[in-house]
Amino acid sequence: MPLRVTFVAAACGAPPPAERFEDDRPLNQAGWDEVQRAAGELLPLAAAELRYCSPTPRSRATGDALGYAPLVQLALRDCDMGRWRGLTLGEAMAREPEAVDFWLADPRATPHGGESLLAFISRVGGWLDTRPADDGGRIVAVAEPSVIRAALVYALKAPPSSYWNIDVRPLSTTTVSGRAGRWNLRFDGIPAQRSRT
């Protein structure tokens, strides 16, 4: 039986225009309200044999609020953005426009002094490939949208540039199934009553 890993995107900690690199702010009230509205549909995932989360406050809080009691996984942390940590993309662009352009164009680039996009995707993919298949067939992982995008790029063996074309919405779920080096993607999506434009 193939391993099944369902990623749940953490609830919002800030409005989208205010999203910051390596944002470690806790859930805001809107995020808590979102979790409460989604709980009925996401609670069944607590039956997974293994439950994990990113180390961010909002990922941990989302997992706890959904009854997952997740184990924090450092490998599921956000991309290390070096000196851009805490900035929005617009703020980084205002300070270092050429460096941001270089970073967006080259997945091996680290102009911020942190981790490259390619290293980030490889780290998250390494975590995915090392899940213990013999400990159970179902895993749930609450993670930041960036981590889920990295996992999807890795699972699909897609070019790193496709990372920028994946949109992961708060509290959406995405499942990959298979085993190390061979993953299939299943879109679970966002249930109709929670979707917003």
Side-chain angles (χ1 to χ4, degrees), residues 1-5 47-50 131-139 178:
M1 184 168 126
L3 185 64
R4 188 171 157 182
V5 181
E49 286 85 0
L50 298 170
R131 291 310 85 212
D134 56 333
D135 283 349
R138 293 179 304 157
I139 293 175

Side-chain angles (χ1 to χ4, degrees), residues 108-178:
R108 290 180 171 80
T110 58
H112 44 61
E115 186 176 28
S116 72
L117 178 62
L118 191 58
F120 174 49
I121 292 167
S122 295
R123 170 171 47 85
V124 174
W127 176 87
L128 187 61
D129 279 349
T130 57
R131 291 310 85 212
D134 56 333
D135 283 349
R138 293 179 304 157
I139 293 175
V140 65
V142 180
E144 297 300 313
S146 59
V147 172
I148 298 170
R149 289 197 311 264
L152 295 177
V153 169
Y154 182 85
L156 294 173
K157 298 179 182 174
S161 60
S162 62
Y163 174 89
W164 306 114
N165 302 109
I166 300 172
D167 184 25
V168 177
R169 306 220 20 223
L171 297 171
S172 62
T173 60
T174 306
T175 301
V176 294
S177 63

Side-chain angles (χ1 to χ4, degrees), residues 58-73:
R58 71 182 191 169
S59 291
R60 291 192 317 256
T62 299
D64 287 341
L66 292 171
Y68 299 168
L71 177 64
V72 171
Q73 298 286 282

Side-chain angles (χ1 to χ4, degrees), residues 3-112:
L3 185 64
R4 188 171 157 182
V5 181
T6 299
F7 289 97
V8 177
C12 282
E19 286 182 9
R20 298 183 177 278
F21 294 127
E22 290 188 87
D23 191 353
D24 61 359
R25 291 178 290 177
L27 285 181
N28 60 15
Q29 188 58 51
W32 282 109
D33 294 343
E34 272 188 330
V35 171
Q36 295 307 308
R37 284 191 300 273
E41 294 173 47
L42 296 175
L43 277 173
L45 292 172
E49 286 85 0
L50 298 170
R51 297 169 304 280
Y52 301 114
C53 70
S54 294
T56 61
R58 71 182 191 169
S59 291
R60 291 192 317 256
T62 299
D64 287 341
L66 292 171
Y68 299 168
L71 177 64
V72 171
Q73 298 286 282
L74 292 179
L76 294 180
R77 69 190 179 281
D78 209 342
C79 187
D80 176 359
M81 296 304 292
R83 69 178 172 275
W84 294 349
R85 184 177 195 271
L87 299 179
T88 64
L89 179 60
E91 289 168 346
M93 183 65 92
R95 292 179 187 187
E96 302 179 54
E98 290 177 8
V100 171
D101 286 343
F102 178 48
W103 173 68
L104 292 171
D106 184 350
R108 290 180 171 80
T110 58
H112 44 61

